[in-house]
mmCIF file of all heavy atoms in Angstrom:
data_model
loop_
_atom_site.group_PDB
_atom_site.id
_atom_site.type_symbol
_atom_site.label_atom_id
_atom_site.label_comp_id
_atom_site.label_asym_id
_atom_site.label_seq_id
_atom_site.Cartn_x
_atom_site.Cartn_y
_atom_site.Cartn_z
ATOM 1 N N PRO A 1 94.816 -28.455 -63.014
ATOM 2 C CA PRO A 1 93.546 -28.369 -63.744
ATOM 3 C C PRO A 1 93.593 -27.453 -64.956
ATOM 4 O O PRO A 1 93.009 -27.754 -65.985
ATOM 5 C CB PRO A 1 92.576 -27.852 -62.679
ATOM 6 C CG PRO A 1 93.148 -28.351 -61.397
ATOM 7 C CD PRO A 1 94.639 -28.264 -61.571
ATOM 8 N N ILE A 2 94.297 -26.316 -64.845
ATOM 9 C CA ILE A 2 94.337 -25.392 -65.977
ATOM 10 C C ILE A 2 95.104 -25.996 -67.146
ATOM 11 O O ILE A 2 94.753 -25.829 -68.306
ATOM 12 C CB ILE A 2 94.945 -24.021 -65.569
ATOM 13 C CG1 ILE A 2 94.785 -23.004 -66.686
ATOM 14 C CG2 ILE A 2 96.383 -24.185 -65.147
ATOM 15 C CD1 ILE A 2 93.351 -22.693 -67.044
ATOM 16 N N HIS A 3 96.187 -26.768 -66.848
ATOM 17 C CA HIS A 3 96.921 -27.446 -67.912
ATOM 18 C C HIS A 3 96.036 -28.504 -68.564
ATOM 19 O O HIS A 3 96.068 -28.686 -69.787
ATOM 20 C CB HIS A 3 98.192 -28.098 -67.349
ATOM 21 C CG HIS A 3 99.261 -27.113 -67.045
ATOM 22 N ND1 HIS A 3 100.301 -27.390 -66.185
ATOM 23 C CD2 HIS A 3 99.453 -25.849 -67.462
ATOM 24 C CE1 HIS A 3 101.099 -26.336 -66.098
ATOM 25 N NE2 HIS A 3 100.600 -25.382 -66.859
ATOM 26 N N ASN A 4 95.288 -29.210 -67.761
ATOM 27 C CA ASN A 4 94.388 -30.228 -68.284
ATOM 28 C C ASN A 4 93.354 -29.614 -69.218
ATOM 29 O O ASN A 4 93.010 -30.158 -70.266
ATOM 30 C CB ASN A 4 93.692 -30.946 -67.135
ATOM 31 C CG ASN A 4 92.756 -32.033 -67.607
ATOM 32 O OD1 ASN A 4 93.184 -32.969 -68.259
ATOM 33 N ND2 ASN A 4 91.478 -31.899 -67.290
ATOM 34 N N TYR A 5 92.848 -28.454 -68.849
ATOM 35 C CA TYR A 5 91.885 -27.733 -69.676
ATOM 36 C C TYR A 5 92.489 -27.398 -71.036
ATOM 37 O O TYR A 5 91.861 -27.589 -72.087
ATOM 38 C CB TYR A 5 91.439 -26.469 -68.947
ATOM 39 C CG TYR A 5 90.879 -25.395 -69.852
ATOM 40 C CD1 TYR A 5 89.617 -25.545 -70.436
ATOM 41 C CD2 TYR A 5 91.602 -24.249 -70.128
ATOM 42 C CE1 TYR A 5 89.110 -24.569 -71.263
ATOM 43 C CE2 TYR A 5 91.102 -23.274 -70.955
ATOM 44 C CZ TYR A 5 89.853 -23.426 -71.524
ATOM 45 O OH TYR A 5 89.353 -22.467 -72.353
ATOM 46 N N MET A 6 93.732 -26.925 -71.039
ATOM 47 C CA MET A 6 94.389 -26.538 -72.290
ATOM 48 C C MET A 6 94.628 -27.755 -73.180
ATOM 49 O O MET A 6 94.493 -27.680 -74.398
ATOM 50 C CB MET A 6 95.720 -25.832 -71.987
ATOM 51 C CG MET A 6 95.557 -24.507 -71.247
ATOM 52 S SD MET A 6 94.499 -23.339 -72.135
ATOM 53 C CE MET A 6 95.494 -23.067 -73.614
ATOM 54 N N ILE A 7 94.989 -28.901 -72.568
ATOM 55 C CA ILE A 7 95.207 -30.126 -73.347
ATOM 56 C C ILE A 7 93.905 -30.581 -73.997
ATOM 57 O O ILE A 7 93.864 -30.948 -75.165
ATOM 58 C CB ILE A 7 95.780 -31.237 -72.445
ATOM 59 C CG1 ILE A 7 97.213 -30.889 -72.055
ATOM 60 C CG2 ILE A 7 95.747 -32.586 -73.161
ATOM 61 C CD1 ILE A 7 97.811 -31.824 -71.028
ATOM 62 N N ARG A 8 92.808 -30.550 -73.242
ATOM 63 C CA ARG A 8 91.512 -30.940 -73.793
ATOM 64 C C ARG A 8 91.129 -30.032 -74.959
ATOM 65 O O ARG A 8 90.630 -30.485 -75.987
ATOM 66 C CB ARG A 8 90.432 -30.860 -72.715
ATOM 67 C CG ARG A 8 90.488 -31.972 -71.685
ATOM 68 C CD ARG A 8 89.361 -31.800 -70.707
ATOM 69 N NE ARG A 8 89.396 -32.885 -69.726
ATOM 70 C CZ ARG A 8 88.323 -33.512 -69.303
ATOM 71 N NH1 ARG A 8 87.148 -33.196 -69.781
ATOM 72 N NH2 ARG A 8 88.410 -34.466 -68.402
ATOM 73 N N LYS A 9 91.357 -28.738 -74.768
ATOM 74 C CA LYS A 9 90.998 -27.782 -75.812
ATOM 75 C C LYS A 9 91.830 -28.018 -77.073
ATOM 76 O O LYS A 9 91.312 -28.021 -78.190
ATOM 77 C CB LYS A 9 91.208 -26.364 -75.298
ATOM 78 C CG LYS A 9 90.764 -25.297 -76.290
ATOM 79 C CD LYS A 9 90.873 -23.908 -75.677
ATOM 80 C CE LYS A 9 90.426 -22.852 -76.680
ATOM 81 N NZ LYS A 9 90.507 -21.481 -76.109
ATOM 82 N N GLU A 10 93.134 -28.245 -76.898
ATOM 83 C CA GLU A 10 94.018 -28.478 -78.036
ATOM 84 C C GLU A 10 93.611 -29.743 -78.791
ATOM 85 O O GLU A 10 93.590 -29.775 -80.016
ATOM 86 C CB GLU A 10 95.464 -28.592 -77.560
ATOM 87 C CG GLU A 10 96.459 -28.801 -78.704
ATOM 88 C CD GLU A 10 97.890 -28.899 -78.202
ATOM 89 O OE1 GLU A 10 98.103 -28.727 -76.983
ATOM 90 O OE2 GLU A 10 98.774 -29.169 -79.026
ATOM 91 N N PHE A 11 93.267 -30.799 -78.033
ATOM 92 C CA PHE A 11 92.856 -32.054 -78.659
ATOM 93 C C PHE A 11 91.592 -31.852 -79.485
ATOM 94 O O PHE A 11 91.457 -32.348 -80.592
ATOM 95 C CB PHE A 11 92.611 -33.107 -77.584
ATOM 96 C CG PHE A 11 92.200 -34.453 -78.135
ATOM 97 C CD1 PHE A 11 93.152 -35.354 -78.559
ATOM 98 C CD2 PHE A 11 90.857 -34.801 -78.238
ATOM 99 C CE1 PHE A 11 92.772 -36.592 -79.071
ATOM 100 C CE2 PHE A 11 90.480 -36.015 -78.755
ATOM 101 C CZ PHE A 11 91.444 -36.910 -79.164
ATOM 102 N N ALA A 12 90.653 -31.078 -78.954
ATOM 103 C CA ALA A 12 89.404 -30.826 -79.654
ATOM 104 C C ALA A 12 89.652 -30.051 -80.949
ATOM 105 O O ALA A 12 89.077 -30.350 -81.991
ATOM 106 C CB ALA A 12 88.438 -30.067 -78.747
ATOM 107 N N ILE A 13 90.543 -29.052 -80.887
ATOM 108 C CA ILE A 13 90.859 -28.249 -82.075
ATOM 109 C C ILE A 13 91.526 -29.119 -83.139
ATOM 110 O O ILE A 13 91.220 -29.027 -84.333
ATOM 111 C CB ILE A 13 91.756 -27.064 -81.693
ATOM 112 C CG1 ILE A 13 90.969 -26.088 -80.796
ATOM 113 C CG2 ILE A 13 92.268 -26.364 -82.940
ATOM 114 C CD1 ILE A 13 91.803 -24.966 -80.235
ATOM 115 N N MET A 14 92.432 -30.004 -82.719
ATOM 116 C CA MET A 14 93.125 -30.886 -83.651
ATOM 117 C C MET A 14 92.145 -31.796 -84.389
ATOM 118 O O MET A 14 92.365 -32.187 -85.519
ATOM 119 C CB MET A 14 94.149 -31.749 -82.899
ATOM 120 C CG MET A 14 95.391 -30.987 -82.459
ATOM 121 S SD MET A 14 96.416 -31.983 -81.348
ATOM 122 C CE MET A 14 96.626 -33.467 -82.316
ATOM 123 N N ASN A 15 91.060 -32.140 -83.735
ATOM 124 C CA ASN A 15 90.073 -33.034 -84.328
ATOM 125 C C ASN A 15 88.866 -32.291 -84.892
ATOM 126 O O ASN A 15 87.794 -32.865 -85.092
ATOM 127 C CB ASN A 15 89.606 -34.055 -83.281
ATOM 128 C CG ASN A 15 90.677 -35.095 -83.003
ATOM 129 O OD1 ASN A 15 90.775 -36.102 -83.684
ATOM 130 N ND2 ASN A 15 91.504 -34.810 -81.999
ATOM 131 N N ASN A 16 89.060 -30.972 -85.131
ATOM 132 C CA ASN A 16 88.025 -30.143 -85.754
ATOM 133 C C ASN A 16 86.704 -30.181 -84.994
ATOM 134 O O ASN A 16 85.622 -30.259 -85.592
ATOM 135 C CB ASN A 16 87.796 -30.582 -87.207
ATOM 136 C CG ASN A 16 89.038 -30.422 -88.052
ATOM 137 O OD1 ASN A 16 89.729 -29.402 -87.947
ATOM 138 N ND2 ASN A 16 89.329 -31.409 -88.882
ATOM 139 N N LYS A 17 86.779 -30.152 -83.685
ATOM 140 C CA LYS A 17 85.571 -30.159 -82.865
ATOM 141 C C LYS A 17 85.447 -28.830 -82.124
ATOM 142 O O LYS A 17 86.429 -28.270 -81.654
ATOM 143 C CB LYS A 17 85.613 -31.309 -81.855
ATOM 144 C CG LYS A 17 85.607 -32.676 -82.495
ATOM 145 C CD LYS A 17 85.729 -33.745 -81.434
ATOM 146 C CE LYS A 17 85.769 -35.124 -82.083
ATOM 147 N NZ LYS A 17 85.957 -36.184 -81.070
ATOM 148 N N HIS A 18 84.214 -28.338 -82.061
ATOM 149 C CA HIS A 18 83.967 -27.101 -81.314
ATOM 150 C C HIS A 18 84.073 -27.405 -79.826
ATOM 151 O O HIS A 18 83.363 -28.258 -79.307
ATOM 152 C CB HIS A 18 82.580 -26.567 -81.648
ATOM 153 C CG HIS A 18 82.247 -25.297 -80.938
ATOM 154 N ND1 HIS A 18 83.001 -24.157 -81.080
ATOM 155 C CD2 HIS A 18 81.246 -24.990 -80.077
ATOM 156 C CE1 HIS A 18 82.467 -23.197 -80.338
ATOM 157 N NE2 HIS A 18 81.398 -23.678 -79.711
ATOM 158 N N TYR A 19 84.963 -26.717 -79.138
ATOM 159 C CA TYR A 19 85.202 -27.003 -77.722
ATOM 160 C C TYR A 19 84.615 -25.890 -76.862
ATOM 161 O O TYR A 19 84.896 -24.708 -77.069
ATOM 162 C CB TYR A 19 86.687 -27.144 -77.435
ATOM 163 C CG TYR A 19 86.973 -27.607 -76.025
ATOM 164 C CD1 TYR A 19 86.930 -28.958 -75.707
ATOM 165 C CD2 TYR A 19 87.242 -26.694 -75.015
ATOM 166 C CE1 TYR A 19 87.173 -29.393 -74.411
ATOM 167 C CE2 TYR A 19 87.482 -27.119 -73.726
ATOM 168 C CZ TYR A 19 87.455 -28.464 -73.424
ATOM 169 O OH TYR A 19 87.687 -28.899 -72.149
ATOM 170 N N ILE A 20 83.778 -26.257 -75.912
ATOM 171 C CA ILE A 20 83.203 -25.300 -74.977
ATOM 172 C C ILE A 20 83.748 -25.603 -73.582
ATOM 173 O O ILE A 20 83.581 -26.709 -73.077
ATOM 174 C CB ILE A 20 81.664 -25.384 -74.971
ATOM 175 C CG1 ILE A 20 81.125 -25.102 -76.374
ATOM 176 C CG2 ILE A 20 81.075 -24.416 -73.962
ATOM 177 C CD1 ILE A 20 79.627 -25.268 -76.482
ATOM 178 N N ALA A 21 84.404 -24.625 -72.973
ATOM 179 C CA ALA A 21 84.975 -24.825 -71.640
ATOM 180 C C ALA A 21 83.857 -25.038 -70.627
ATOM 181 O O ALA A 21 82.856 -24.335 -70.634
ATOM 182 C CB ALA A 21 85.817 -23.614 -71.248
ATOM 183 N N LYS A 22 84.030 -26.033 -69.761
ATOM 184 C CA LYS A 22 83.055 -26.318 -68.720
ATOM 185 C C LYS A 22 83.701 -26.119 -67.356
ATOM 186 O O LYS A 22 84.909 -26.208 -67.211
ATOM 187 C CB LYS A 22 82.531 -27.746 -68.869
ATOM 188 C CG LYS A 22 81.764 -27.972 -70.160
ATOM 189 C CD LYS A 22 81.230 -29.393 -70.234
ATOM 190 C CE LYS A 22 80.466 -29.605 -71.526
ATOM 191 N NZ LYS A 22 79.942 -30.987 -71.635
ATOM 192 N N LYS A 23 82.874 -25.888 -66.397
ATOM 193 C CA LYS A 23 83.365 -25.577 -65.053
ATOM 194 C C LYS A 23 84.271 -26.668 -64.513
ATOM 195 O O LYS A 23 85.305 -26.398 -63.906
ATOM 196 C CB LYS A 23 82.171 -25.373 -64.127
ATOM 197 C CG LYS A 23 82.545 -24.813 -62.760
ATOM 198 C CD LYS A 23 81.283 -24.511 -61.963
ATOM 199 C CE LYS A 23 81.644 -23.909 -60.616
ATOM 200 N NZ LYS A 23 80.428 -23.610 -59.826
ATOM 201 N N TYR A 24 83.914 -27.943 -64.745
ATOM 202 C CA TYR A 24 84.702 -29.022 -64.165
ATOM 203 C C TYR A 24 86.078 -29.128 -64.807
ATOM 204 O O TYR A 24 86.980 -29.715 -64.243
ATOM 205 C CB TYR A 24 83.968 -30.362 -64.259
ATOM 206 C CG TYR A 24 83.773 -30.901 -65.644
ATOM 207 C CD1 TYR A 24 84.806 -31.518 -66.334
ATOM 208 C CD2 TYR A 24 82.524 -30.821 -66.256
ATOM 209 C CE1 TYR A 24 84.620 -32.025 -67.599
ATOM 210 C CE2 TYR A 24 82.341 -31.336 -67.527
ATOM 211 C CZ TYR A 24 83.379 -31.932 -68.200
ATOM 212 O OH TYR A 24 83.186 -32.432 -69.445
ATOM 213 N N ASP A 25 86.264 -28.570 -66.030
ATOM 214 C CA ASP A 25 87.582 -28.601 -66.670
ATOM 215 C C ASP A 25 88.593 -27.763 -65.879
ATOM 216 O O ASP A 25 89.785 -28.032 -65.895
ATOM 217 C CB ASP A 25 87.502 -28.065 -68.092
ATOM 218 C CG ASP A 25 86.817 -29.026 -69.028
ATOM 219 O OD1 ASP A 25 87.124 -30.229 -68.940
ATOM 220 O OD2 ASP A 25 85.980 -28.595 -69.829
ATOM 221 N N ILE A 26 88.120 -26.739 -65.210
ATOM 222 C CA ILE A 26 89.008 -25.867 -64.447
ATOM 223 C C ILE A 26 89.144 -26.347 -62.999
ATOM 224 O O ILE A 26 90.231 -26.323 -62.415
ATOM 225 C CB ILE A 26 88.463 -24.423 -64.449
ATOM 226 C CG1 ILE A 26 88.224 -23.957 -65.893
ATOM 227 C CG2 ILE A 26 89.433 -23.482 -63.747
ATOM 228 C CD1 ILE A 26 89.454 -23.903 -66.742
ATOM 229 N N LEU A 27 88.068 -26.835 -62.405
ATOM 230 C CA LEU A 27 88.052 -27.124 -60.979
ATOM 231 C C LEU A 27 88.208 -28.595 -60.638
ATOM 232 O O LEU A 27 88.271 -28.946 -59.467
ATOM 233 C CB LEU A 27 86.735 -26.602 -60.368
ATOM 234 C CG LEU A 27 86.454 -25.118 -60.571
ATOM 235 C CD1 LEU A 27 85.085 -24.763 -59.986
ATOM 236 C CD2 LEU A 27 87.536 -24.264 -59.925
ATOM 237 N N ARG A 28 88.233 -29.467 -61.630
ATOM 238 C CA ARG A 28 88.266 -30.896 -61.349
ATOM 239 C C ARG A 28 89.482 -31.266 -60.496
ATOM 240 O O ARG A 28 90.607 -30.920 -60.832
ATOM 241 C CB ARG A 28 88.294 -31.679 -62.663
ATOM 242 C CG ARG A 28 88.024 -33.169 -62.489
ATOM 243 C CD ARG A 28 87.933 -33.792 -63.891
ATOM 244 N NE ARG A 28 87.664 -35.206 -63.800
ATOM 245 C CZ ARG A 28 86.459 -35.739 -63.706
ATOM 246 N NH1 ARG A 28 85.402 -34.948 -63.656
ATOM 247 N NH2 ARG A 28 86.272 -37.034 -63.649
ATOM 248 N N ALA A 29 89.259 -31.986 -59.407
ATOM 249 C CA ALA A 29 90.343 -32.329 -58.489
ATOM 250 C C ALA A 29 91.263 -33.392 -59.080
ATOM 251 O O ALA A 29 92.481 -33.299 -59.003
ATOM 252 C CB ALA A 29 89.769 -32.795 -57.161
ATOM 253 N N THR A 30 90.667 -34.453 -59.652
ATOM 254 C CA THR A 30 91.454 -35.509 -60.266
ATOM 255 C C THR A 30 91.630 -35.183 -61.736
ATOM 256 O O THR A 30 90.679 -35.185 -62.496
ATOM 257 C CB THR A 30 90.740 -36.870 -60.136
ATOM 258 O OG1 THR A 30 90.522 -37.130 -58.762
ATOM 259 C CG2 THR A 30 91.591 -37.984 -60.742
ATOM 260 N N VAL A 31 92.865 -34.888 -62.104
ATOM 261 C CA VAL A 31 93.128 -34.424 -63.461
ATOM 262 C C VAL A 31 93.338 -35.610 -64.386
ATOM 263 O O VAL A 31 94.025 -36.559 -64.049
ATOM 264 C CB VAL A 31 94.372 -33.517 -63.490
ATOM 265 C CG1 VAL A 31 94.656 -33.051 -64.899
ATOM 266 C CG2 VAL A 31 94.173 -32.346 -62.563
ATOM 267 N N ARG A 32 92.686 -35.554 -65.579
ATOM 268 C CA ARG A 32 92.888 -36.595 -66.583
ATOM 269 C C ARG A 32 93.292 -35.940 -67.901
ATOM 270 O O ARG A 32 92.826 -34.853 -68.225
ATOM 271 C CB ARG A 32 91.606 -37.404 -66.775
ATOM 272 C CG ARG A 32 91.213 -38.183 -65.546
ATOM 273 C CD ARG A 32 90.053 -39.094 -65.844
ATOM 274 N NE ARG A 32 88.892 -38.363 -66.325
ATOM 275 C CZ ARG A 32 87.771 -38.937 -66.739
ATOM 276 N NH1 ARG A 32 87.689 -40.244 -66.764
ATOM 277 N NH2 ARG A 32 86.753 -38.225 -67.151
ATOM 278 N N GLN A 33 94.149 -36.616 -68.631
ATOM 279 C CA GLN A 33 94.651 -36.084 -69.885
ATOM 280 C C GLN A 33 94.243 -36.997 -71.028
ATOM 281 O O GLN A 33 94.344 -38.206 -70.928
ATOM 282 C CB GLN A 33 96.180 -35.974 -69.860
ATOM 283 C CG GLN A 33 96.796 -35.595 -71.199
ATOM 284 C CD GLN A 33 98.299 -35.656 -71.174
ATOM 285 O OE1 GLN A 33 98.870 -36.014 -70.154
ATOM 286 N NE2 GLN A 33 98.936 -35.342 -72.275
ATOM 287 N N ILE A 34 93.793 -36.426 -72.102
ATOM 288 C CA ILE A 34 93.534 -37.214 -73.295
ATOM 289 C C ILE A 34 94.871 -37.468 -73.980
ATOM 290 O O ILE A 34 95.574 -36.536 -74.335
ATOM 291 C CB ILE A 34 92.595 -36.474 -74.264
ATOM 292 C CG1 ILE A 34 91.279 -36.154 -73.577
ATOM 293 C CG2 ILE A 34 92.364 -37.287 -75.518
ATOM 294 C CD1 ILE A 34 90.314 -35.402 -74.458
ATOM 295 N N VAL A 35 95.208 -38.738 -74.137
ATOM 296 C CA VAL A 35 96.513 -39.076 -74.711
ATOM 297 C C VAL A 35 96.412 -39.252 -76.219
ATOM 298 O O VAL A 35 95.333 -39.225 -76.790
ATOM 299 C CB VAL A 35 97.055 -40.365 -74.060
ATOM 300 C CG1 VAL A 35 97.375 -40.132 -72.596
ATOM 301 C CG2 VAL A 35 96.052 -41.482 -74.199
ATOM 302 N N ASN A 36 97.547 -39.422 -76.859
ATOM 303 C CA ASN A 36 97.629 -39.513 -78.313
ATOM 304 C C ASN A 36 96.808 -40.679 -78.846
ATOM 305 O O ASN A 36 97.075 -41.827 -78.545
ATOM 306 C CB ASN A 36 99.104 -39.678 -78.716
ATOM 307 C CG ASN A 36 99.286 -39.590 -80.216
ATOM 308 O OD1 ASN A 36 98.333 -39.659 -80.974
ATOM 309 N ND2 ASN A 36 100.529 -39.410 -80.636
ATOM 310 N N SER A 37 95.814 -40.420 -79.682
ATOM 311 C CA SER A 37 94.907 -41.461 -80.150
ATOM 312 C C SER A 37 95.541 -42.379 -81.191
ATOM 313 O O SER A 37 94.934 -43.353 -81.604
ATOM 314 C CB SER A 37 93.645 -40.827 -80.750
ATOM 315 O OG SER A 37 93.974 -40.010 -81.850
ATOM 316 N N ASP A 38 96.755 -42.062 -81.635
ATOM 317 C CA ASP A 38 97.408 -42.928 -82.618
ATOM 318 C C ASP A 38 98.030 -44.158 -81.979
ATOM 319 O O ASP A 38 98.398 -45.104 -82.665
ATOM 320 C CB ASP A 38 98.506 -42.149 -83.360
ATOM 321 C CG ASP A 38 97.907 -41.068 -84.254
ATOM 322 O OD1 ASP A 38 96.763 -41.259 -84.695
ATOM 323 O OD2 ASP A 38 98.582 -40.056 -84.479
ATOM 324 N N GLU A 39 98.184 -44.166 -80.672
ATOM 325 C CA GLU A 39 98.769 -45.312 -79.989
ATOM 326 C C GLU A 39 97.689 -46.320 -79.632
ATOM 327 O O GLU A 39 96.631 -45.977 -79.142
ATOM 328 C CB GLU A 39 99.473 -44.847 -78.708
ATOM 329 C CG GLU A 39 100.605 -43.868 -78.972
ATOM 330 C CD GLU A 39 101.228 -43.394 -77.675
ATOM 331 O OE1 GLU A 39 100.886 -43.963 -76.630
ATOM 332 O OE2 GLU A 39 102.043 -42.468 -77.716
ATOM 333 N N ASN A 40 97.941 -47.594 -79.894
ATOM 334 C CA ASN A 40 96.944 -48.632 -79.635
ATOM 335 C C ASN A 40 96.546 -48.711 -78.168
ATOM 336 O O ASN A 40 95.429 -49.075 -77.836
ATOM 337 C CB ASN A 40 97.469 -49.998 -80.101
ATOM 338 C CG ASN A 40 97.590 -50.057 -81.608
ATOM 339 O OD1 ASN A 40 96.849 -49.399 -82.314
ATOM 340 N ND2 ASN A 40 98.530 -50.846 -82.090
ATOM 341 N N ASP A 41 97.478 -48.388 -77.271
ATOM 342 C CA ASP A 41 97.204 -48.492 -75.843
ATOM 343 C C ASP A 41 96.151 -47.497 -75.373
ATOM 344 O O ASP A 41 95.666 -47.575 -74.260
ATOM 345 C CB ASP A 41 98.482 -48.285 -75.036
ATOM 346 C CG ASP A 41 99.429 -49.465 -75.162
ATOM 347 O OD1 ASP A 41 98.969 -50.542 -75.561
ATOM 348 O OD2 ASP A 41 100.618 -49.295 -74.865
ATOM 349 N N ASP A 42 95.813 -46.514 -76.215
ATOM 350 C CA ASP A 42 94.851 -45.498 -75.815
ATOM 351 C C ASP A 42 93.419 -46.014 -75.896
ATOM 352 O O ASP A 42 92.507 -45.366 -75.393
ATOM 353 C CB ASP A 42 94.954 -44.264 -76.711
ATOM 354 C CG ASP A 42 96.335 -43.642 -76.635
ATOM 355 O OD1 ASP A 42 97.019 -43.845 -75.626
ATOM 356 O OD2 ASP A 42 96.712 -42.970 -77.594
ATOM 357 N N TRP A 43 93.217 -47.139 -76.550
ATOM 358 C CA TRP A 43 91.877 -47.684 -76.740
ATOM 359 C C TRP A 43 91.749 -49.007 -75.996
ATOM 360 O O TRP A 43 92.596 -49.882 -76.118
ATOM 361 C CB TRP A 43 91.591 -47.904 -78.227
ATOM 362 C CG TRP A 43 91.561 -46.624 -79.002
ATOM 363 C CD1 TRP A 43 92.623 -45.993 -79.569
ATOM 364 C CD2 TRP A 43 90.423 -45.818 -79.259
ATOM 365 N NE1 TRP A 43 92.218 -44.836 -80.176
ATOM 366 C CE2 TRP A 43 90.861 -44.702 -80.011
ATOM 367 C CE3 TRP A 43 89.063 -45.934 -78.937
ATOM 368 C CZ2 TRP A 43 89.993 -43.704 -80.442
ATOM 369 C CZ3 TRP A 43 88.194 -44.943 -79.374
ATOM 370 C CH2 TRP A 43 88.661 -43.836 -80.112
ATOM 371 N N ILE A 44 90.700 -49.136 -75.213
ATOM 372 C CA ILE A 44 90.501 -50.365 -74.444
ATOM 373 C C ILE A 44 89.250 -51.080 -74.951
ATOM 374 O O ILE A 44 88.243 -50.447 -75.275
ATOM 375 C CB ILE A 44 90.365 -50.072 -72.933
ATOM 376 C CG1 ILE A 44 89.233 -49.077 -72.663
ATOM 377 C CG2 ILE A 44 91.674 -49.569 -72.367
ATOM 378 C CD1 ILE A 44 88.972 -48.843 -71.195
ATOM 379 N N PRO A 45 89.300 -52.410 -75.066
ATOM 380 C CA PRO A 45 88.133 -53.165 -75.539
ATOM 381 C C PRO A 45 87.027 -53.190 -74.496
ATOM 382 O O PRO A 45 87.287 -53.212 -73.294
ATOM 383 C CB PRO A 45 88.699 -54.569 -75.787
ATOM 384 C CG PRO A 45 89.877 -54.657 -74.869
ATOM 385 C CD PRO A 45 90.460 -53.275 -74.801
ATOM 386 N N ILE A 46 85.793 -53.180 -74.970
ATOM 387 C CA ILE A 46 84.628 -53.239 -74.091
ATOM 388 C C ILE A 46 83.994 -54.615 -74.235
ATOM 389 O O ILE A 46 83.811 -55.120 -75.352
ATOM 390 C CB ILE A 46 83.603 -52.158 -74.453
ATOM 391 C CG1 ILE A 46 84.253 -50.782 -74.426
ATOM 392 C CG2 ILE A 46 82.413 -52.196 -73.502
ATOM 393 C CD1 ILE A 46 83.330 -49.681 -74.883
ATOM 394 N N THR A 47 83.656 -55.223 -73.124
ATOM 395 C CA THR A 47 83.043 -56.548 -73.147
ATOM 396 C C THR A 47 81.568 -56.445 -73.488
ATOM 397 O O THR A 47 80.813 -55.712 -72.835
ATOM 398 C CB THR A 47 83.192 -57.251 -71.786
ATOM 399 O OG1 THR A 47 84.595 -57.332 -71.464
ATOM 400 C CG2 THR A 47 82.596 -58.649 -71.831
#
């Protein structure tokens, strides 16, 4: 979870967004990572 928090924060800084740490970023059981937005596979179409 702590690594996931750092990745989210880094991604936000790279995109010039103000990042505020939230409780679930540290304690979330299922960890998710924001992947590189330059890759087409990172975006999924919505019906």
Side-chain angles (χ1 to χ4, degrees):
I2 189 62
H3 285 160
N4 181 60
Y5 158 73
M6 295 303 296
I7 290 173
R8 286 181 179 222
K9 184 175 180 179
E10 182 179 356
F11 181 84
I13 293 173
M14 286 170 53
N15 287 273
N16 298 317
K17 296 177 182 177
H18 181 59
Y19 187 83
I20 301 176
K22 296 182 180 179
K23 190 174 182 180
Y24 67 78
D25 287 316
I26 306 298
L27 303 177
R28 193 174 181 86
T30 302
V31 179
R32 295 187 302 176
Q33 172 187 2
I34 302 179
V35 293
N36 188 346
S37 61
D38 292 332
E39 299 178 9
N40 292 331
D41 288 342
D42 300 336
W43 295 87
I44 56 175
I46 304 175
T47 302

